[in-house]
Amino acid sequence: MKLLPRPRSGVRPLFVVTILSSAFLLFLVQPMVARMALPRLGGAPAVWNSAMLVYQALLLGGYAYAHWLGRLEPRLQGRVHLGVLLIAALWLPIGLGGLQPGPGVPPAFWVPWLFVLSIGPLFFAVSAQSPLLQRWFSLACKGQDPYALYAASNLGSFAGLIAYPLLVEPMMTLFNQRILWSSGYILLGLLVALCAGTLPRDRPLQAATPVTSAPPGRKRVAHWILLAFVPSGLMLATSTYITTDIVAMPLLWVIPLALYLLSFTIAFARDRTAADIQTRIAPIAILLFGGILVSGMPGMPYLGAIMALALLFLVSVALHTGLYRLRPEPDRLTGFYLAMSFGGALGGVFSALVAPMLFDWTYEYPILILAAGVLTPHAYMFAPLQRVWQGNPQRRRILLWAVALIIATLVAVVLLDHTTGDAPSSLQQAMLLIVVAVGVLAIGTPPAFGFALVGVLIAFGGYQAIAISLEPGARTRSYFGIYTVHSTPTEQQLAHGTTVHGTQLRGSPQRERTPTAYYVPGSGVGQAMQALPVLYGPRARVSVVGLGTGTLACYARPGQDWRFYEIDPAIVRIARDSGQFSFLSSCLPDPKIVIGDARVNIAKQRTDTLDLLALDAFSSDSVPMHLMTREAFDSYARVLSPRGLLLVHISNRFLDLEPVVAAAAKAGGWQAATLFYSAPGATMSQWIALSRDPATIRVLQARDAAWKPTRGRPGFVPWSDGYSSILPLVKGL
């Protein structure tokens, strides 16, 4: 294969365009493939974290390959890499393989396996480009800094990630997305061939690329790994934390990754001004924002989300700036990026796999904030402080012990004073201010700052998380979310993050069997359940997607056939086995519960086996997208009887889902009516009833005139497995 030379004058623009293109494709494929997986894997909120873990592992493999390739003669590197790109092209057009998850296979194992087999070779080939092309640039343009190209690489990554939800997904079907990406891959291969043509030809074919600088020591490599580990882990931990404990807003998962990528662009830029300023203020932000965020900010969720994202960005810039300052000479470049990739993969493993198994809450978030506070490059706030801390070693040790003792005393006062009430007292507030002041004075001395930061994280709200964890059965964490049971003398409540998924009254047996929250008798689903004997006689066949606390079971009557579909075994344990909720034991003692993704399991059910199907599946506050497509509604129509009734719960703080259901109803020949319900003691709810038989809808409307025709939206395209976008549905946009 003959490599074409390029004029030296166009070398830098060529490499910039190639690196931008490869990074754009690399991060465009991530949300695209995750979107392809929805109909097969379901809408598990942790699917994205599992996918990210696969991407990081493949990225590590690509960087290791680029590091190994650097041992070869430059022209041979080009030939080998072009061969790898050609072999990976056998997986075009990009898409998911035909494998199906076996029964009982946990998503944590199945998702990585499916993704690796489907896109592994393509992702591997493209992921190697950033370090490899930077190394080639240093050979083709001696004397120029190749690290600035890493900023261009992450700018391309940022653009690819943001372009998907804003442009690609709203404008293209999945089929067209696959063709677009595959065409981009072919164009990228041509650009790489041109870059390979710029490599020097003045050495023998067998001569390896020369390495003349001193190798980094083990401590330096470990430092690289740690500086990459913390931002990567914090990026995933922030996604989990803000969508669990602050605000469960759709599309929020993409913003932490975008900010993480953008931080590289600033940290590795030629102009050091922005990186240096943000690195200097990062310790203050960690101290102030970190403590406040651990409290969850229940009264100001949007402000909390903004603070969490700002903190992630500042930490990422500061730690990546630390990496930039410790970078080796260009001849050691690929090894440097390999260590960075290894640290990033470890951070992903910690947040996506280890933390959910070890912790019942997002404790990885404050742990990584603490690590960031210690690892962030520190600069003393005032010159006199520097003289005090950098004086006699004995005095330094005494000062460290004094800071630790002061912080421990202040935190103890805060915790003891908290027993007198829930609201912060004047004494608490004063102690918290002193803890923060000590932390500010300790900036510049990481150990002392770490002591202060521990105090801030505990005193500002960490103790509350620990107290709930120590309470037996109060909190459960699974692959699908974090569930907390709140108990009062009058009621028991189940929450997934900030969203309530069920409330049971306490007291008499009658109170405990009373449907509450979204499911009261006057709600859409409550009215439909009460109409079952009229519509279908005494042996109605009922299925509910989403178990929750089992509230709807208290509408079951003798002779009816009931079945629940629930994706999370942890919810089944809470509702049926823990004894914390008695809806099932009191109203439906031997319930049929099918564990797994509802759409996958409904597709296995025989035709005409249901009279009523209620969709009440939420991931915190978001309805899983794959349950709302035309193909999903066709599946529901198949299992329902000709007069069957479909109830869809679309209550949502952030999305207007009525146009989605209206469009699916029109496309599938359904009659639809909507009921908003709000009353004292009930949670405001919105349910849509659909049936292929207009008479069934008329029965509901005759019982309550509040049922209104479902509102469509002119020009709204029905969701399908090949096309969907939530941007047009975001309230306020």
Side-chain angles (χ1 to χ4, degrees):
M1 183 184 300
K2 187 175 180 180
L3 303 178
L4 302 175
R6 288 282 300 172
R8 294 296 171 187
S9 60
V11 168
R12 185 178 185 85
L14 171 63
F15 273 88
V16 170
V17 169
T18 306
I19 282 182
L20 278 169
S21 301
S22 62
F24 183 87
L25 287 177
L26 194 66
F27 278 82
L28 185 66
V29 76
Q30 296 190 16
M32 183 174 72
V33 173
R35 171 67 183 83
M36 292 177 188
L38 274 179
R40 191 177 311 178
L41 298 173
V47 166
W48 172 249
N49 276 6
S50 293
M52 277 299 302
L53 184 61
V54 172
Y55 300 146
Q56 288 175 320
L58 290 171
L59 191 68
L60 175 61
Y63 278 28
Y65 155 72
H67 181 59
W68 168 83
L69 203 59
R71 301 179 180 182
L72 304 180
E73 183 270 336
R75 287 177 297 165
L76 186 56
Q77 293 180 32
R79 298 177 191 276
V80 171
H81 187 56
L82 287 173
V84 169
L85 289 171
L86 284 173
I87 293 172
L90 297 175
W91 273 258
L92 294 177
I94 191 169
L96 290 181
L99 295 176
Q100 294 288 342
V105 178
F109 296 102
W110 172 248
V111 174
W113 180 246
L114 175 65
F115 281 26
V116 167
L117 291 180
S118 301
I119 66 164
L122 290 167
F123 197 96
F124 171 83
V126 178
S127 66
Q129 310 252 108
S130 179
L132 187 59
L133 290 175
Q134 289 178 66
R135 185 74 181 97
W136 288 1
F137 178 77
S138 69
L139 294 172
C141 301
K142 292 185 180 301
Q144 295 195 37
D145 182 14
Y147 286 102
L149 294 181
Y150 194 59
S153 171
N154 284 279
L155 184 61
S157 301
F158 175 80
L161 185 68
I162 293 298
Y164 187 80
L166 297 183
L167 297 174
V168 176
E169 187 179 40
M171 298 174 63
M172 293 185 177
T173 64
L174 280 177
F175 176 79
N176 289 335
Q177 292 173 31
R178 295 173 61 196
I179 299 302
L180 173 70
W181 196 94
S182 301
S183 301
Y185 181 86
I186 294 171
L187 177 61
L188 178 63
L190 297 175
L191 290 172
V192 172
L194 293 174
C195 290
T198 68
L199 293 173
R201 301 169 177 270
D202 56 351
R203 280 188 290 272
L205 189 63
Q206 291 78 19
T209 304
V211 179
T212 58
S213 64
R218 292 182 179 178
K219 289 185 178 179
R220 173 64 62 89
V221 174
H223 200 174
W224 290 344
I225 292 172
L226 280 174
L227 288 173
F229 172 93
V230 173
S232 172
L234 188 61
M235 178 262 296
L236 292 180
T238 299
S239 300
T240 303
Y241 180 68
I242 61 179
T243 55
T244 299
D245 270 29
I246 296 182
V247 51
M249 184 176 180
L251 277 185
L252 211 53
W253 57 265
V254 79
I255 302 177
L257 178 56
L259 293 175
Y260 171 79
L261 295 172
L262 192 59
S263 71
F264 281 107
T265 302
I266 294 176
F268 282 74
R270 284 181 171 183
D271 186 348
R272 307 304 306 155
T273 304
D276 292 340
I277 291 175
Q278 293 186 54
T279 299
R280 191 170 183 84
I281 66 176
I284 301 175
I286 292 171
L287 192 68
L288 296 178
F289 291 179
I292 295 172
L293 286 168
V294 168
S295 69
M297 299 191 67
M300 296 177 286
Y302 293 105
L303 178 60
I306 292 171
M307 289 175 61
L309 294 170
L311 179 59
L312 169 65
F313 184 63
L314 289 171
V315 165
S316 298
V317 170
L319 296 182
H320 292 152
T321 297
L323 277 168
Y324 180 82
R325 292 174 180 175
L326 296 174
R327 71 194 185 281
E329 294 297 322
D331 58 355
R332 300 279 180 183
L333 178 146
T334 55
F336 171 65
Y337 286 128
L338 177 60
M340 283 178 55
S341 179
F342 182 66
L346 285 181
V349 168
F350 174 69
S351 291
L353 291 183
V354 176
M357 291 189 294
L358 289 181
F359 308 133
D360 66 355
W361 183 64
T362 51
Y363 285 109
E364 64 271 22
Y365 186 68
I367 289 173
L368 288 166
I369 288 177
L370 177 60
V374 175
L375 289 171
T376 295
H378 281 238
Y380 289 96
M381 299 290 293
F382 310 104
L385 289 175
Q386 183 173 0
R387 290 193 294 270
V388 170
W389 283 106
Q390 291 185 345
N392 184 281
Q394 180 67 23
R395 183 175 64 188
R396 180 184 173 90
R397 283 193 293 270
I398 293 174
L399 286 172
L400 286 175
W401 279 107
V403 168
L405 182 60
I406 291 170
I407 295 297
T409 302
L410 294 173
V411 170
V413 171
V414 170
L415 297 185
L416 290 173
D417 189 60
H418 176 71
T419 59
T420 61
D422 292 329
S425 66
S426 299
L427 178 61
Q428 270 187 297
Q429 294 173 1
M431 295 300 100
L432 291 173
L433 288 175
I434 296 174
V435 171
V436 171
V438 172
V440 171
L441 295 176
I443 293 176
T445 306
F449 183 80
F451 289 144
L453 185 55
V454 169
V456 166
L457 293 173
I458 294 175
F460 270 79
Y463 66 91
Q464 295 173 330
I466 295 172
I468 295 175
S469 293
L470 294 176
E471 189 178 335
R475 188 154 52 204
T476 302
R477 184 172 185 174
S478 73
Y479 182 81
F480 300 92
I482 298 173
Y483 310 104
T484 306
V485 177
H486 301 284
S487 299
T488 70
T490 59
E491 66 181 28
Q492 193 94 331
Q493 194 174 80
L494 174 67
H496 180 183
T498 58
T499 304
V500 175
H501 281 309
T503 301
Q504 184 170 30
L505 303 177
R506 306 178 100 176
S508 66
Q510 182 179 357
R511 277 176 55 84
E512 293 180 356
R513 288 194 295 267
T514 302
T516 58
Y518 308 101
Y519 318 106
V520 295
S523 68
V525 71
Q527 293 190 28
M529 293 294 182
Q530 295 174 87
L532 283 173
V534 175
L535 288 169
Y536 308 112
R539 297 192 174 276
R541 301 163 298 175
V542 180
S543 283
V544 178
V545 176
L547 176 62
T549 57
T551 309
L552 288 175
C554 285
Y555 285 109
R557 299 188 180 185
Q560 294 178 348
D561 181 21
W562 277 65
R563 177 178 299 176
F564 288 92
Y565 293 96
E566 174 55 52
I567 196 171
D568 194 350
I571 286 290
V572 177
R573 290 193 294 270
I574 292 172
R576 185 187 63 189
D577 306 327
S578 68
Q580 294 171 303
F581 297 92
S582 60
F583 287 122
L584 291 178
S585 60
S586 299
C587 303
L588 199 64
D590 189 23
K592 298 176 184 177
I593 301 176
V594 180
I595 297 177
D597 184 74
R599 179 171 166 183
V600 173
N601 285 307
I602 287 174
K604 301 175 183 176
Q605 198 164 330
R606 296 192 308 274
T607 301
D608 190 10
T609 53
L610 290 177
D611 295 311
L612 185 146
L613 175 62
L615 296 183
D616 183 43
F618 285 79
S619 298
S620 195
D621 202 46
S622 301
V623 178
M625 186 180 293
H626 71 299
L627 297 180
M628 307 284 281
T629 65
R630 290 180 58 178
E631 292 85 351
F633 276 74
D634 288 343
S635 182
Y636 307 148
R638 185 186 62 81
V639 299
L640 283 168
S641 63
R643 296 179 54 248
L645 187 61
L646 174 65
L647 269 294
V648 185
H649 189 191
I650 60 169
S651 305
N652 198 286
R653 289 176 288 178
F654 307 106
L655 298 179
D656 177 14
L657 293 170
E658 191 170 359
V660 178
V661 181
K666 183 178 180 181
W670 300 80
Q671 299 295 312
T674 302
L675 179 67
F676 285 95
Y677 185 79
S678 179
T683 305
M684 186 174 64
S685 64
Q686 183 180 6
W687 290 84
I688 297 181
L690 304 97
S691 179
R692 299 290 185 95
D693 179 16
T696 300
I697 300 299
R698 287 198 293 269
V699 169
L700 293 179
Q701 293 173 326
R703 296 169 68 94
D704 190 338
W707 286 98
K708 302 297 182 183
T710 300
R711 296 180 297 108
R713 184 178 295 180
F716 186 86
V717 179
W719 281 3
S720 67
D721 288 347
Y723 173 82
S724 60
S725 174
I726 67 171
L727 277 182
L729 307 172
V730 177
K731 295 178 180 178
L733 289 185

